[in-house]
Structures are given as C-alpha cells and as structure tokens.
Amino acid sequence: MILKQFYLPCLAHASYIIGDEQTGTAAVVDPQRDTEQYIAFAAEHALQIKHVFLTHLHADFVAGHLELRDRAGATIYLGAAAKAAYPFTPLREGAILEFGRVRLRVLETPGHTPESISIVVYDLDASATQPHAVLTGDTLFIGDVGRPDLRAALGWSATQLGGLLFDSLHQKLLALPDQSLVYPAHGAGSLCGKAISKETVSSLGEQRRSNYALQPMSKEAFIQVVTADQPEAPPYFTYDAVLNSEERPTLDEALAREMNPLTLDGLLALQADGAQILDTRDPGEFAAAHLAGSINIGLGGQYATWAGTVLDRKHPIVIIADPGREKESAMRLGRIGFDHVAGYLMDGLHSLKSRPELTVTTERVSAPFAAELLSSSEPPLAIDVRAPGERDVKYIGGSLSIPLNHLLENLEKLPRDRSLLVYCAGGYRSSIAASLLQGSGFDHVSEIAGGFAGWEAAKLPVKRSQALA
C-alpha cells in the first residue's frame, strides 16, 4: 500500500493518494483543483487513478474531483447525504471499497457539514482488522475539530451541526484503535478551525489525550466550546461549497479562457470599466512602484484567501505579475473558484516605463521612524489591520483597530485630512490594506516596514490587553 500526503501551505490544505502496487490502482482524497501532482505521482508509481473522494463539499477551496474525472476517468464518491449536479457514487456508513491489498471503509461523520465522511484505511498486508489510518476530512484535525458554523447560509445552525459533530467524534472516530494514524484535510492557518496544530499527522491516541475538543464533557458543553471564538469566514466560503456540488468548467478550461495578454491601453480600458487590477508581486516591490488603483495581494502569502476576501466576483480581475508568474497568479485564484480573470498585463510593470504618471508609491517607514512620527505634534493615525485575537495580545498604543477583512466597510471612520500609518504582523496584510486605501482615494498612506514584529524588534513600547495583563 502507498499512502502519500500532499500539503498546500497557502491554503493549509492536505490531500491524499492511496495506491495499491499489486493492481496498480489508486484513489485520491480531497484533491486540490490543479491536479498535475497526482497525475505525476501516479505515473511514477505505475498507478491509475480510478477513484476520487471528497470527504465533504469544501468551503475554502474548489476541489479537483471533476478534473480527475475528466482527465483520468476517475469515479467520484461523496457522502450519501450530499447533493450534487454531477454523477457520483453515494457512500453510506460501512461502505467498503477494496482494491488489491487496500481496503477503504466509510464512516458517516456529519458535523462540520451534513454530508461529511471519514475514510478508514486498512493495509491488508499488515492487518485486516486493525486500521492503518483514518482520513478525517474536516471532522477531526490535529489539535482541533471542524467548525460547525459554516453552513448557516445553507440552512443548518451551528447548534444542529455541533451536536452531530459530537456524536460523530465519540461514536465513530474515538471508537477506532489509538494507534490509528489521523490524517486531516487541513492544518494550521486554515479557517475551517480555530486551533489547528502545525503538525499534519498524529495518532488517535495522541488526539484523545491532547485535543481540547475530545476531552470529557457534555454535548451541550462541547457545542459551546467549538462554536466560541471561531475566526470569521471569508465571503467566498459559501460560494465554494455550492460550487463543489455543481458541474463547472475545469481549471484547464478556465485558464485557457483567462490567459489573455493585454496591452497597457487594454488594461486601462478594463480598469475604467470597473475591472479589479490585482498586483501579485512582493509587497516591497509593490511599495516601490505600482499602477494607481491596483490592489496588492502577493503570491508569497495567503494569496487565495485574501483575494477571496477583498476582491469580488462581480467585476473582472486583471493581473499584474512578475513576468512568468501570470499563470500561477490565475491558477491560484482558480483554486477558490475565481475564474473571472480577464487577462494579464504583458511584461508586467515594465509596460509602465513610458507612462510614469500612472505609477504611485507607498512609503514604508522603519519602526523607529514610525515611533517618531506618532509622537510628533501632527501624528498620523495608526491603523492596526490584524485580526482581533492578535490585537488582544498586544498592540501599538493609540492605534485604531480595523481588521483587514472589514477595512472597506469602515472607510467612513477614517479621516481624509490626516496621514494614515498602517501595520499588521509582518507587512503582508498592511500592503493589501494600503493599496485598498490608496485605491479608495486616501492620499497620505504609509506602512510600518516589518509590521508589529519590526516594532517589537526595535524594542518600542507596546500596550497589552488589560484582560491578559
């Protein structure tokens, strides 16, 4: 048996290929939409991908089940409670798929979503009775469990799903042997949980001991614990959950439509018509020079998540990227179903050399200089765009807290006759924020280089939450 985990850091997403060398058969579980790595791995190991499972209809990314169906001829499997517009094999409790020396047994584990399943994996060369592992989807994470509040828009309350999640964990997953390996669909940084570990594999016994949500408590207490303090879900989550149930163009079809090289005049015409100009370069390069009105979301961070948070699906997206990275920029948008890219600027920012009047800069000031500015007679207004949980620990005194995901809806709170000084943890989110502010007509916007980390490294004073002091 071959069991391989593929981990995608920018979406904190784990997917799996399970193969049997004897029959040359493989199954892929929770694939990302760009499926080349599974095809390549299967070819290297003389495997044919015949099966593709979704443990649930994911909200934070568009899965690659249709891509593997069309490209490899794989059969799609979903939990029996799922509803989808494409043909699939529904899996009920106890359903078994066996190929060669591999056995996959299905557990219906609703809670994160109504249709969630977990897949118990047996290596029959080792044991036909003791599971080797369980692929838990978003039901059980390392250090956490799936949040039950993401289906409110589709008619399910967090209390309903929280109760189902409690039963799934205690009646199904915790009934498995302690030595069973736990392979979840997400790791640290995913918004599908609130305390997910950086580890990407564990054992059921270790989770039984250390996972806060698996400790002895009543169902009512469990629901309270797992619904409290969940991070806010981006607006594209419900869209992606629905998209994963629909027939749709494959990623290759979308990219073939989107990879249109545009002249500067072509881009400017689209911008004038309402297109969103997305600059995917590094924040430092963006600060040095960028097209006025463009939004910076760098490929080096949680690019897709932030793109899905601050961009909309109503207006086309035009990409400005480092030459050679245009397709990556569009493909990573495709991972969250943002298939409305109208094209990209040929030669990137080099196209603007003959039109310097179209470029602007964003000043990035050192932390010590920022401190001087903030203590001057006419200080800028410092804006903290970190998440509430980060600010609750410590912050720069006098700063205004507006989390990045709520910046655009709070612009009226900001003075237009005063300089603005934006900071986040390290500079990635502040660059997004500064670009949004500049694009909204704020003329005097700067950032703290290195963010709050740079401020602390310079040993400048910080404020601490009274509740944590």
Side-chain angles (χ1 to χ4, degrees):
M1 184 182 78
I2 297 169
L3 175 53
K4 164 74 173 174
Q5 181 186 71
F6 297 84
Y7 195 75
L8 183 63
C10 67
L11 287 173
H13 164 219
S15 53
Y16 301 89
I17 190 165
I18 306 161
D20 172 62
E21 291 182 315
Q22 176 182 303
T23 59
T25 300
V28 179
V29 179
D30 291 331
Q32 61 196 61
R33 195 177 176 196
D34 45 312
T35 56
E36 185 58 45
Q37 60 186 336
Y38 313 114
I39 302 291
F41 183 89
E44 288 168 16
H45 294 81
L47 300 171
Q48 182 181 353
I49 299 172
K50 295 184 178 180
H51 315 284
V52 56
F53 293 80
L54 297 190
T55 56
H56 60 291
L57 298 171
H58 295 270
D60 61 317
F61 69 95
V62 175
H65 49 301
L66 301 187
E67 282 75 6
L68 287 174
R69 176 198 68 184
D70 290 359
R71 190 167 174 185
T75 298
I76 298 172
Y77 300 82
L78 303 175
K83 294 181 174 64
Y86 46 80
F88 69 92
T89 298
L91 296 170
R92 301 191 179 280
E93 178 74 21
I96 289 176
L97 177 67
E98 204 165 295
F99 45 95
R101 306 304 295 158
V102 174
R103 177 184 296 154
L104 306 179
R105 180 167 64 89
V106 172
L107 303 177
E108 290 189 87
T109 50
H112 176 65
T113 70
E115 78 285 347
S116 290
I117 60 171
S118 298
I119 301 169
V120 186
V121 181
Y122 294 84
D123 179 354
L124 298 180
D125 282 335
S127 174
T129 58
Q130 295 294 308
H132 170 72
V134 57
L135 308 187
T136 54
D138 285 12
T139 300
L140 174 62
F141 297 126
I142 311 305
D144 203 356
V145 294
R147 57 191 296 180
D149 63 327
L150 292 181
R151 288 295 185 270
L154 302 177
W156 288 83
S157 74
T159 300
Q160 283 175 302
L161 288 176
L164 292 174
L165 182 63
F166 181 87
D167 292 339
S168 294
L169 292 165
H170 289 272
Q171 296 173 16
K172 306 284 184 69
L173 291 175
L174 289 176
L176 297 172
D178 277 357
Q179 64 268 30
S180 307
L181 297 176
V182 174
Y183 286 106
H186 287 99
S190 168
L191 295 174
C192 294
K194 60 183 176 181
I196 308 176
S197 168
K198 292 179 181 177
E199 301 300 320
T200 59
V201 62
S202 182
S203 69
L204 199 59
E206 176 56 33
Q207 289 311 294
R208 194 190 305 274
R209 288 187 293 273
S210 63
N211 190 317
Y212 77 94
L214 301 184
Q215 302 314 301
M217 66 183 88
S218 67
K219 182 183 291 190
E220 291 71 22
F222 173 85
I223 293 170
Q224 279 193 320
V225 166
V226 299
T227 54
D229 302 319
Q230 288 289 0
E232 192 168 353
Y236 70 89
F237 269 33
T238 298
Y239 170 74
D240 277 13
V242 172
L243 195 59
N244 276 320
S245 71
E246 295 178 342
E247 190 70 53
R248 52 155 178 81
T250 64
L251 182 60
D252 285 344
E253 290 168 339
L255 291 175
R257 184 181 69 246
E258 294 171 350
M259 286 292 94
N260 302 310
L262 300 170
T263 64
L264 178 57
D265 287 342
L267 179 147
L268 294 173
L270 285 167
Q271 185 180 31
D273 204 32
Q276 305 167 99
I277 310 302
L278 172 62
D279 190 321
T280 68
R281 295 174 302 141
D282 176 82
E285 295 176 12
F286 180 86
H290 56 270
L291 175 69
S294 58
I295 300 167
N296 178 229
I297 308 175
L299 291 171
Q302 287 188 303
Y303 167 76
T305 299
W306 283 114
T309 300
V310 303
L311 302 179
D312 65 50
R313 298 191 306 278
K314 299 174 185 173
H315 300 91
I317 297 169
V318 177
I319 290 167
I320 298 176
D322 285 321
R325 302 196 76 179
E326 299 90 353
K327 186 173 182 179
E328 177 190 356
S329 301
M331 180 271 291
R332 289 172 61 179
L333 291 176
R335 286 175 176 164
I336 61 164
F338 273 47
D339 291 351
H340 52 293
V341 173
Y344 63 89
L345 180 61
M346 281 190 296
D347 299 322
L349 209 69
H350 300 302
S351 297
L352 289 161
K353 280 187 177 178
S354 62
R355 301 285 302 277
E357 75 278 6
L358 296 176
T359 64
V360 292
T361 63
T362 307
E363 188 178 13
R364 306 191 104 190
V365 302
S366 69
F369 186 56
E372 287 183 32
L373 292 173
L374 291 171
S375 61
S376 66
S377 58
E378 293 186 12
L381 174 61
I383 303 171
D384 183 349
V385 297
R386 298 174 302 159
E390 295 171 276
R391 185 177 173 89
D392 285 346
V393 178
K394 44 194 170 182
Y395 58 94
I396 296 172
S399 60
L400 175 67
S401 174
I402 306 182
L404 176 55
N405 57 325
H406 290 294
L407 181 62
L408 288 175
E409 67 204 57
N410 284 289
L411 295 179
E412 74 284 350
K413 294 181 179 178
L414 301 177
R416 292 185 178 270
D417 58 351
R418 184 177 174 187
S419 296
L420 304 178
L421 179 62
V422 186
Y423 74 93
C424 64
Y428 182 81
R429 286 172 289 175
S430 65
S431 185
I432 301 173
S435 69
L436 291 171
L437 290 169
Q438 287 181 322
S440 300
F442 290 85
D443 296 326
H444 304 288
V445 180
S446 56
E447 302 174 61
I448 299 179
F452 192 76
W455 182 275
E456 285 199 299
K459 296 183 168 46
L460 292 163
V462 300
K463 294 282 189 178
R464 297 180 186 274
S465 167
Q466 290 184 347
L468 298 171

